[in-house]
Amino acid sequence: MIVATRLDRVALIAATALSGAALAEVLWPHALDGVQEPPGHEDAANLVAPSVAPYPERSVLAVMAQRPLFTIDRRPYQPPPSAQSAAPTGPPPPTLDAQLVGIAKAADAHLILLRVGAAPTVHRLRMGEQIDGWSVTSIGEASATLSNNGHERELSLVTSASR
């Protein structure tokens, strides 16, 4: 047979592939060899419910849960101890509800003007003086630091827009 055009060649290849697939379908074994079907497998009415529970007992599941499959050492996941739980828990740091409303610096003295809470009273404090257990430890250009039992709090000057 002489194949003249490219279209003829493609048609010949497709016909060969289709005939090969049809031959394989006819000759290929459909039943599995060595597997015996139970008697009456065609009849759905002959099906009997299994007498054994489909799930393992709880004791088996508990043992399986103690040995998880997808962990390297087959041990249950233990979260690492957090840094907060390792740190000693002491009393919470004291609170200070105050606003720094002014700083006055002179050659011989530095003081801050502090408003505590919502009270209209302004307190004048020098270095080392205390208010509500907090003592003034440093006075900067626009901030002051107060400390109480090792806890420090830095207050910044209140601007007129934030009042």
Side-chain angles (χ1 to χ4, degrees), residues 79-143:
S82 66
Q84 292 179 351
S85 65
T89 57
T95 60
L96 176 66
D97 182 24
Q99 292 179 336
L100 183 64
V101 292
I103 296 176
K105 288 190 171 186
D108 58 342
H110 300 301
L111 62 95
I112 61 171
L113 303 173
L114 196 68
R115 179 178 293 135
V116 178
T121 308
V122 175
H123 300 276
R124 291 181 203 102
L125 300 171
R126 297 178 190 255
M127 286 288 291
E129 291 185 343
Q130 291 189 357
I131 185 166
D132 293 341
W134 291 85
S135 64
V136 179
T137 56
S138 70
I139 299 174
E141 295 296 321
S143 65

Side-chain angles (χ1 to χ4, degrees), residues 35-110:
V35 176
Q36 295 179 357
E37 297 290 333
H41 70 280
E42 297 88 11
D43 190 9
N46 291 337
L47 293 178
V48 179
S51 61
V52 179
Y55 299 106
E57 296 179 18
R58 288 189 183 269
S59 61
V60 174
L61 293 176
V63 171
M64 289 172 61
Q66 292 173 359
R67 308 282 289 171
L69 181 62
F70 298 109
T71 57
I72 293 173
D73 60 354
R74 302 283 311 268
R75 298 282 181 238
Y77 174 73
Q78 297 291 330
S82 66
Q84 292 179 351
S85 65
T89 57
T95 60
L96 176 66
D97 182 24
Q99 292 179 336
L100 183 64
V101 292
I103 296 176
K105 288 190 171 186
D108 58 342
H110 300 301

